[in-house]
């Protein structure tokens, strides 16, 4: 609700002085939700039809005639007429934003759904100003994407094994690396694999040496070989936080913690590794 | 006691996010990640016991869940992403890097006898 209130639906802007009254909110989801109840239009779709729906919207935006589809024909569980109306609404608006999340990227089609949506947005910009914003679940997920992108050119699934970055989701992404049992040790930072990965991937992680930097007690802290408590980022350590719309925000440390920040812990580990590589005695 | 087949979609809930702040070992969090939401007609058809417990099975594993009815499509079940749902996920990503978190074929069956609470099996 905070997103609706502060950013997407209720916020007042230079060209939207009336806030919500100046906006049209369309929600596309597989079931009703608090967000859909606040929408002007709610399109309840069948699960797994994302690619088909976005593709039909692209064709409608391009003015293509769709043979065999009548007004009441269903596309993704919704009448074709309603997709026609949505396409017209998107073309006619002054400034449109599609906010999408894992409902799109984790459903059948996955990255292809996101690619199709990007194509739709590019094509809509021939008519009006349109953006797509990826909605992230946890704080500063965008930050790791941003830093990897400006350092390597790739936002995720980057492999440095050969001394230079290589990118290939499905090959160098964490679940695939664990499924193939390629990693023989893991350094885990700012995530809880026990809560996010398939159990078989967690079971493999449990079988290899693991070092875990984490401020809170959770299911992973119970089995990691080495747990290094760290100060919570943005509270016990300052730094840059990337908002979901890619705006970097500087966060100051609020309180002192008796434990190091992620940065300090990693620097300490790196210095010790370099010392050992030089053949010096460990501190 | 009934059973039926359906499609599982893992989600995040606001209650899960709030309970996380109390800790992932809190009773509130552990109960929320084991709570399955399903359509009221499906809920009635399962003829659940007093504690509304059911066994949910996928090709990857099986877990015990607590069912609750809410507005939504028939045959589609929603479970918060977490240690319970992870038991039902296959690690195959089809070359995308992302496992099938949504659209998982499952079978749900009511648990005949109400049991003592035991979330430790899934932690």
């Amino acid at each position: 609700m905070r997103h609706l209130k502060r950013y997407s639906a209720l916020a007042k802007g230079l060209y939207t002085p009336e806030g919500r009254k100046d906006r049209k909110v369309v929600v596309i989801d597989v079931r009703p939700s608090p967000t859909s109840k606040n929408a002007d239009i709610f399109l309840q779709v069948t699960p797994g039809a994302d690619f088909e729906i976005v593709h039909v919207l692209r064709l409608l935006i391009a003015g293509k005639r769709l043979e065999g589809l009548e007004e009441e024909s269903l596309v993704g569980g919704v009448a074709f007429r309603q997709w026609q109306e949505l396409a017209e609404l998107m073309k006619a608006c002054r400034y449109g934003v599609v906010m999408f999340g894992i409902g799109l990227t984790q459903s059948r089609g996955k990255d292809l759904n996101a690619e199709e949506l990007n194509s739709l947005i590019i094509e809509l910009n021939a008519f009006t100003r349109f953006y797509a914003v990826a909605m992230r679940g946890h704080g500063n997920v965008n930050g790791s994407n941003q830093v990897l992108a400006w350092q390597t050119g790739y936002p995720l699934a980057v492999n440095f094994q050969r001394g230079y970055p290589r990118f290939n989701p499905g090959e160098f992404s964490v679940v695939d690396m664990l499924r193939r049992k390629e990693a023989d040790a893991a350094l885990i930072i700012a995530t809880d694999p026990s809560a996010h990965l398939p159990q078989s991937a967690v079971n493999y992680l449990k079988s290899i040496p693991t070092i875990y930097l984490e401020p809170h007690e959770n299911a992973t802290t119970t089995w990691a070989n080495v747990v290094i408590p760290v100060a919570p980022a943005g509270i016990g350590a300052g730094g840059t936080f990337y908002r979901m719309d890619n705006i970097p925000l500087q966060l100051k440390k609020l309180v002192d913690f008796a434990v190091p920040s992620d940065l300090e812990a990693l620097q300490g580990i790196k210095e010790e590794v370099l010392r050992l590589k030089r053949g010096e005695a460990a501190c | 006691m009934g059973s039926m087949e359906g499609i599982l979609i893992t989600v995040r809930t606001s209650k899960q996010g709030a309970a996380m702040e109390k800790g992932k070992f809190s009773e509130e969090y552990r109960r929320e990640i084991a709570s399955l939401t399903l359509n009221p007609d499906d809920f009635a058809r399962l003829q659940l016991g007093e504690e509304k417990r059911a066994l949910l099975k996928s090709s990857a594993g099986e877990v015990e869940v607590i069912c609750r009815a809410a507005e939504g499509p028939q045959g589609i079940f929603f479970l918060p992403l977490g240690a319970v749902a992870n038991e039902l996920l296959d690690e195959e990503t089809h070359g995308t890097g992302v496992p099938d978190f949504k659209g998982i074929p499952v079978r749900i069956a009511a648990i005949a006898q109400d049991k003592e609470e035991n979330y430790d099996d899934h932690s």
Side-chain angles (χ1 to χ4, degrees), chain B residues 15-80:
Chain B
K15 200 171 173 184
Q16 177 190 17
M20 200 185 296
E21 295 305 315
K22 291 183 179 172
K24 287 186 174 173
F25 294 117
S26 67
E27 175 66 20
E28 205 175 324
Y29 178 80
R30 280 150 52 113
R31 191 174 180 85
E32 182 61 17
I33 62 167
S35 297
L36 185 82
T37 305
L38 64 168
N39 168 278
D41 292 338
D42 292 345
F43 185 86
R45 200 181 314 159
L46 283 174
Q47 298 172 294
L48 295 152
E50 195 179 325
E51 291 186 354
K52 315 297 179 201
R53 292 182 185 277
L55 196 65
L56 194 61
K57 274 187 192 180
S58 75
S59 61
E62 62 180 57
V63 293
E64 198 179 304
V65 292
I66 308 156
C67 298
R68 62 185 175 207
E71 199 182 352
Q74 279 190 290
I76 313 285
F77 314 133
F78 300 89
L79 187 64

Side-chain angles (χ1 to χ4, degrees), chain A residues 10 79 114 131 142 147 165 196-197 211 217 220 258 260 262:
Chain A
L10 303 173
Y131 279 84
N142 193 5
V147 173
H196 301 305
L197 300 182
I211 305 162
E217 194 182 15
T220 305
D262 290 311

Side-chain angles (χ1 to χ4, degrees), chain A residues 30-32 37 47 102 106-107 110 138 169-170 173 175-176 179 192 194-201 217-218 222, chain B residues 11-12 24-25 37 71 73 76 78 81-83 86-87 89-102:
Chain A
V30 297
R31 61 171 173 168
K37 288 179 175 35
I102 52 178
Q106 289 184 350
S107 294
K110 295 175 185 169
H138 295 287
S173 32
V175 175
D176 299 278
R179 182 170 56 85
D192 177 8
S194 286
H196 301 305
L197 300 182
Q199 192 55 46
S200 47
E217 194 182 15
N218 60 33
T222 60
Chain B
V11 294
R12 291 184 198 279
K24 287 186 174 173
F25 294 117
T37 305
E71 199 182 352
I76 313 285
F78 300 89
L81 184 61
N86 290 348
E87 300 272 0
L89 303 179
D90 193 295
E91 58 186 350
E92 174 62 54
T93 76
H94 315 287
T96 65
V98 181
D100 294 334
F101 285 109
K102 297 173 192 293

